[in-house]
């Protein structure tokens, strides 16, 4: 028997979904997310660049492999995230996260709600052929974080053709507006890439998902359009966050058969009984299903329900809508006079019940329903009003601080060429009276370097964040805010516009990673490798002296074969090596660099002469 739609045994792995199809290579990508964390964002280039699946923590621990993945893909990638929703931690962050500074763009929703869409648009170009460009669209309910909750996702592949499709217009309109939502300065190359992607998306002919006869794409919060579910014979709602107004509206679309409502216990506890009574079944995720993958949850890692799915039946057909939007007023309803509206993305799949499944097939005991149980009223207490109010005050403060109220300035010291002073510059008139405390620190250094900000922000005075080594300079600042009334604290990170960032900072990061001959040779082999033919090698646990020894890397191992293969391929890999060697030579104090093995220096002079001859031709 074929597995039903949303069958819990059918998994879409995030990393695998970012990889190029056979015969193609990644060309560029645009992503949107509500929230993100740096660890997950750094793992994305690895998934794109390498064709072998690796444990994320192993990859993040190997700075050599991670640096090459970031260098290979990050200039072709842009991630738009809701301003104030980048996760931060108290400990020292990764210096490599600073390489994402131009890639991550914080934005705000036009309707003053949340920027909440979760999608990827990936462009793949053919290798050595005249085949058409391929595109992949991922519409998700999860953010770019390590959250292990149950989510729903749709992956669509398609080809760029010569005629536009009206159904792609919502995606085009969203992407066209993304650069204009940025709260700070934006890299011009990423702006142009986003706008080019918007135009090309209009011409994509998507492959139809299994069991689906019609596919519709929707974006809420951009203009007057968006997803407006029609009346139907029956309806089911799966949403981790809910409110009574949206649920009443959805139930009214199928007044005789509002079958199932699936949410989180703490959310259901806040909904009036009259609203819950409009659904035949009110369900929650069974606690036994939350660790279904057999792994122990990591500290502070969420589990539970995060999927957003709306299923409607009419006659012999089923329409399944999934995406980023919860069953809330700000996500779904667009009423006259409504001042707050989220930006959301949805995909609606319509097909015959016999193929796509009915509500009972999809959410019944043979489908996702086997992970559910009935909600018991009063099993949890409703969230106290003061907690809800504190959460809203802290959200407002996050947005005020992350939407252009702060900036940074790097100041070179005349008597100390190894350190730079970092100043936080607040804009005038920012009082934040609802806060009792604000602290901040560069993410590269951790909480031990936190500085108090509240007095300086209220007075509009520059705040000294301290002296930093060049390698630790970053525009990403971790901020801790504390609610004055309740004492509740939250930590987030934001990327600020920065004046005076030294151009050699990225070179300092490269020199920090490649600090030995062994690491240079490991990085060189990654640079020369064609990952289409040669997947990423596993870490060498026998020869290496610790984390970071990725595959063969002995100083005396012959490199000529790898260089000759790259020379014959003529795909730019030798040019990348030349740039690497030049950067390392610039970073050397006396014009020489002991990290370059002598035999490689002599060999590379020969290949550099060949490259110069080719350029002259």
């Amino acid at each position: 028997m074929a597995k039903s739609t949303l069958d819990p045994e059918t998994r879409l792995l995030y990393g695998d979904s970012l990889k190029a199809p056979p015969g193609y290579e990644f060309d560029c990508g645009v992503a949107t997310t509500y929230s993100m964390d740096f660890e997950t964002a750094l793992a994305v280039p690895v998934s794109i660049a390498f064709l072998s699946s690796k444990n994320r923590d192993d990859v993040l621990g190997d700075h050599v492999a991670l640096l090459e993945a970031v260098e290979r893909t990050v200039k072709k990638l842009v991630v738009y995230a809701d301003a104030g929703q980048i996760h931060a931690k108290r400990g020292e962050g990764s210096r490599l996260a600073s390489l994402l500074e131009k890639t991550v763009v914080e934005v705000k929703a036009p309707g003053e709600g949340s920027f909440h869409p979760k999608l990827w648009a990936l462009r793949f170009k053919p290798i050595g052929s005249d085949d058409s460009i391929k595109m992949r669209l991922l519409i998700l309910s999860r953010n770019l974080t390590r959250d292990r909750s149950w989510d729903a996702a749709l992956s669509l592949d398609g080809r760029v053709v010569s005629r536009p499709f009206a159904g792609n217009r919502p995606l085009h309109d969203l992407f066209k507006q993304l650069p204009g939502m940025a709260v700070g300065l934006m890299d011009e190359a990423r702006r142009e890439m986003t706008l080019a992607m918007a135009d090309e998306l209009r011409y994509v002919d998507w492959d139809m998902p299994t069991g689906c006869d019609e596919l519709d794409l929707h974006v809420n919060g951009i203009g007057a359009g968006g997803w407006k579910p029609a009346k139907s014979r029956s309806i089911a709602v799966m949403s981790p966050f809910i409110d009574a107004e949206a649920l009443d509206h959805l139930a009214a679309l199928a007044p005789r058969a509002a079958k199932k409502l699936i949410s989180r216990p703490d959310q259901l506890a806040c909904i009036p009984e009259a609203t819950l009574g409009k659904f035949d079944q009110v369900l929650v995720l069974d606690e036994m299903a939350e660790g279904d993958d057999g792994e122990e949850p990591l500290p502070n890692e969420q589990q539970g329900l995060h999927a957003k799915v709306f299923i409607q039946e009419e006659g012999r057909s089923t329409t399944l809508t999934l995406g980023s939007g919860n069953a809330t007023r700000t996500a779904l309803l667009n009423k006259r006079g409504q001042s707050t509206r989220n930006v959301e993305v949805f995909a609606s799949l319509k097909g015959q019940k016999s193929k796509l499944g009915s509500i009972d097939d999809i959410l019944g005991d043979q489908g996702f329903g086997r992970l559910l149980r009935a909600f018991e009223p009063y099993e949890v207490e409703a969230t106290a009003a003061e907690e809800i109010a504190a959460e809203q005050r802290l959200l407002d403060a996050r947005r005020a601080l992350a939407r252009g109220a702060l900036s940074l300035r790097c100041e070179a010291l005349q008597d100390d060429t190894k350190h730079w002073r970092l100043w936080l510059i607040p804009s005038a008139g920012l009082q934040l009276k609802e806060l009792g405390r604000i602290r901040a620190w560069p993410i590269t250094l951790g909480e031990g370097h936190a500085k108090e900000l509240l007095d300086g922000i209220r007075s509009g005075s520059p705040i000294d964040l301290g002296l930093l080594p060049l390698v630790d300079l970053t525009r990403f600042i971790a901020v801790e805010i504390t609610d004055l009334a309740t004492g509740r604290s939250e930590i987030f990170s934001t990327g600020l516009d920065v004046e005076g960032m030294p151009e050699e900072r990225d070179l300092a990061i490269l020199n920090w990673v490649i600090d030995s001959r062994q690491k240079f040779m490991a990085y060189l082999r990654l640079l020369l490798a064609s990952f289409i033919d040669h997947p990423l090698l596993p870490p060498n646990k026998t020869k290496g002296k610790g984390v970071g020894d990725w595959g063969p890397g002995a100083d005396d191992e012959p490199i000529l074969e790898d260089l000759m293969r790259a020379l014959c391929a003529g795909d730019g890999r030798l040019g990348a090596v030349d740039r690497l060697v030049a950067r390392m030579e610039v970073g050397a104090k006396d014009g020489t660099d002991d990290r370059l093995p002598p035999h490689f220096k002599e060999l590379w002079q020969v290949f550099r002469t060949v490259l110069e001859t080719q350029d002259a031709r």
Side-chain angles (χ1 to χ4, degrees):
M1 178 179 177
K3 293 181 179 179
S4 68
T5 307
L6 299 185
D7 190 286
E9 294 183 7
T10 303
R11 303 291 183 91
L12 176 65
L13 298 180
Y14 206 147
D16 290 345
S17 63
L18 301 178
K19 296 174 183 176
Y24 284 76
E25 63 181 351
F26 172 75
D27 186 49
C28 64
V30 178
T32 66
T33 183
Y34 173 64
S35 60
M36 59 159 279
D37 64 57
F38 290 115
E39 289 83 0
T40 303
L42 280 170
V44 166
V46 177
S47 298
I48 292 175
F50 303 145
L51 290 187
S52 63
S53 297
K54 293 297 305 172
N55 177 279
R56 188 186 71 167
D57 291 335
D58 286 346
V59 171
L60 292 176
D62 194 294
H63 292 156
V64 174
L66 186 55
L67 175 63
E68 165 53 13
V70 172
E71 292 266 343
R72 186 177 289 225
T73 63
V74 76
K75 292 181 181 179
K76 304 176 182 179
L77 188 66
V78 57
V79 178
Y80 293 90
D82 195 51
Q85 294 299 327
I86 301 177
H87 295 182
K89 57 185 181 182
R90 297 184 182 278
E92 180 178 314
S94 171
R95 288 168 170 166
L96 290 174
S98 296
L99 298 178
L100 299 175
E101 288 177 349
K102 294 181 180 179
T103 297
V104 177
V105 178
E106 291 180 88
V107 296
K108 65 177 181 179
E112 297 302 323
S114 296
F115 179 81
H116 205 249
K118 308 148 195 338
L119 65 81
W120 284 84
L122 302 169
R123 187 181 195 270
F124 303 107
K125 61 183 181 181
I127 302 169
S129 72
D130 295 327
D131 290 343
S132 59
I133 296 295
K134 283 189 176 182
M135 302 284 280
R136 180 171 297 149
L137 181 67
L138 302 176
I139 295 182
L140 313 164
S141 66
R142 68 167 292 177
N143 295 296
L144 191 58
T145 68
R146 64 187 305 159
D147 185 357
R148 292 172 60 243
S149 299
W150 285 95
D151 287 285
L154 174 67
S155 178
L156 298 172
D157 282 352
R159 292 181 178 271
V160 177
V161 296
S162 58
R163 66 184 182 91
F165 290 85
N168 292 332
R169 172 62 70 170
L171 292 179
H172 168 271
D173 293 347
L174 172 61
F175 277 54
K176 277 292 186 183
Q177 293 198 38
L178 285 174
M181 299 182 198
V183 298
L185 299 177
M186 182 179 177
D187 176 60
E188 187 60 30
R190 268 78 171 191
R191 180 190 303 275
E192 293 177 359
M193 185 174 68
T194 303
L195 298 178
M197 181 76 79
D199 290 334
E200 198 162 33
L201 281 171
R202 294 185 58 210
Y203 293 84
V204 181
D205 184 12
W206 302 109
D207 297 336
M208 200 65 68
T210 303
C212 178
D213 299 320
E214 297 178 24
L215 168 67
D216 293 306
L217 302 173
H218 314 274
V219 175
N220 288 13
I222 301 292
W227 180 53
K228 298 180 177 63
K231 291 185 177 181
S232 58
R233 186 178 64 82
S234 57
I235 191 170
V237 176
M238 180 189 299
S239 176
F241 301 101
I242 53 180
D243 63 40
E245 185 176 355
L247 292 177
D248 288 339
H249 172 79
L250 292 167
L253 297 175
R256 295 185 179 181
K259 287 191 170 183
K260 299 176 187 287
L261 170 61
I262 304 165
S263 188
R264 295 182 174 185
D266 61 321
Q267 291 287 302
L268 292 168
C270 298
I271 304 300
E273 292 184 18
T275 297
L276 297 181
K278 296 178 180 180
F279 292 86
D280 293 341
Q281 291 181 282
V282 179
L283 305 165
V284 296
L285 192 65
D286 193 315
E287 290 82 355
M288 297 299 294
E290 295 191 15
D292 186 71
D293 56 8
E295 297 182 6
E296 290 294 325
L298 297 174
N300 301 320
E301 206 172 11
Q302 290 183 334
Q303 286 186 294
L305 182 71
H306 200 249
K308 295 96 173 170
V309 181
F310 306 85
I311 308 173
Q312 295 177 276
E313 294 179 5
E314 186 62 41
R316 297 181 178 180
S317 67
T318 297
T319 301
L320 184 151
T321 300
L322 57 82
S324 65
N326 290 286
T328 61
R329 176 182 60 83
T330 55
L332 298 184
L333 306 184
N334 185 19
K335 295 183 176 181
R336 182 175 299 177
Q338 180 176 324
S339 60
T340 303
R341 194 177 184 210
N342 294 352
V343 177
E344 308 281 3
V345 63
F346 299 93
S348 292
L349 311 178
K350 186 175 182 180
Q352 297 297 309
K353 289 181 184 178
S354 58
K355 296 180 180 179
L356 194 58
S358 65
I359 290 175
D360 290 335
D361 293 330
I362 298 171
L363 299 178
D365 292 340
Q366 299 302 311
F368 195 80
R370 63 180 182 270
L371 303 182
L372 305 174
R373 64 170 177 83
F375 170 66
E376 299 293 339
Y378 312 113
E379 66 177 85
V380 295
E381 294 184 1
T383 305
E386 59 267 23
E387 292 184 31
I388 297 175
E391 183 176 344
Q392 185 61 50
R393 289 193 296 269
L394 289 172
L395 177 60
D396 292 341
R398 279 182 182 232
R399 289 175 171 171
L401 291 166
R403 292 181 175 183
L406 305 173
S407 63
L408 294 170
R409 185 176 72 244
C410 295
E411 182 181 280
L413 303 182
Q414 294 182 354
D415 56 345
D416 186 351
T417 59
K418 295 183 179 180
H419 291 84
W420 293 68
R421 189 172 299 280
L422 190 63
W423 292 92
L424 185 81
I425 313 299
S427 61
L430 191 63
Q431 293 301 304
L432 300 174
K433 295 181 179 180
E434 69 279 6
L435 296 183
R437 190 183 193 190
I438 308 176
R439 300 195 305 154
W441 57 90
I443 63 164
T444 50
L445 297 181
E447 186 187 15
H449 294 261
K451 303 292 184 180
E452 298 287 346
L453 304 187
L454 191 55
D455 290 342
I457 286 177
R458 288 176 174 171
S459 65
S461 303
I463 302 161
D464 184 0
L465 293 183
L467 292 176
L468 280 70
L470 181 59
V471 71
D472 284 326
L473 286 178
T474 179
R475 78 178 185 95
F476 290 122
I477 303 298
V479 183
E480 181 187 42
I481 54 178
T482 302
D483 181 56
L484 179 62
T486 63
R488 174 176 172 173
S489 294
E490 292 182 352
I491 299 177
F492 67 97
S493 182
T494 185
L496 305 179
D497 291 342
V498 57
E499 175 188 349
M501 176 67 76
E503 295 181 359
E504 59 269 27
R505 194 280 313 273
D506 287 1
L507 177 60
I509 295 175
L510 181 141
N511 289 330
W512 169 70
V513 174
I514 306 175
D515 60 358
S516 66
R517 287 186 184 181
Q518 184 181 34
K519 288 184 180 179
F520 168 77
M521 295 301 291
Y523 188 81
L524 179 62
R525 282 188 168 78
L526 286 172
L527 202 61
L528 288 171
S530 170
F531 293 104
I532 299 158
D533 302 319
H534 305 285
L536 185 65
L537 295 171
N540 188 335
K541 298 299 185 182
T542 58
K543 298 180 181 180
K545 298 180 180 179
V547 175
D549 181 25
W550 202 270
D555 289 352
D556 58 352
E557 185 165 340
I559 196 71
L560 178 61
E561 182 178 346
D562 292 334
L563 290 170
M564 289 299 300
R565 186 184 295 113
L567 178 63
C568 294
D571 56 4
R573 278 179 277 168
L574 285 187
V577 174
D578 195 38
R579 288 189 294 273
L580 169 66
V581 174
R583 291 170 69 187
M584 294 183 66
E585 289 176 344
V586 168
K589 294 181 180 179
D590 56 359
T592 61
D593 198 326
D594 291 338
R595 294 171 296 176
L596 304 179
H599 75 271
F600 175 79
K601 295 180 185 179
E602 298 169 0
L603 185 62
W604 186 244
Q605 289 302 320
V606 176
F607 275 84
R608 180 172 281 174
T609 301
V610 174
L611 289 176
E612 291 173 351
T613 302
Q614 290 178 338
D615 291 340
R617 292 178 182 176

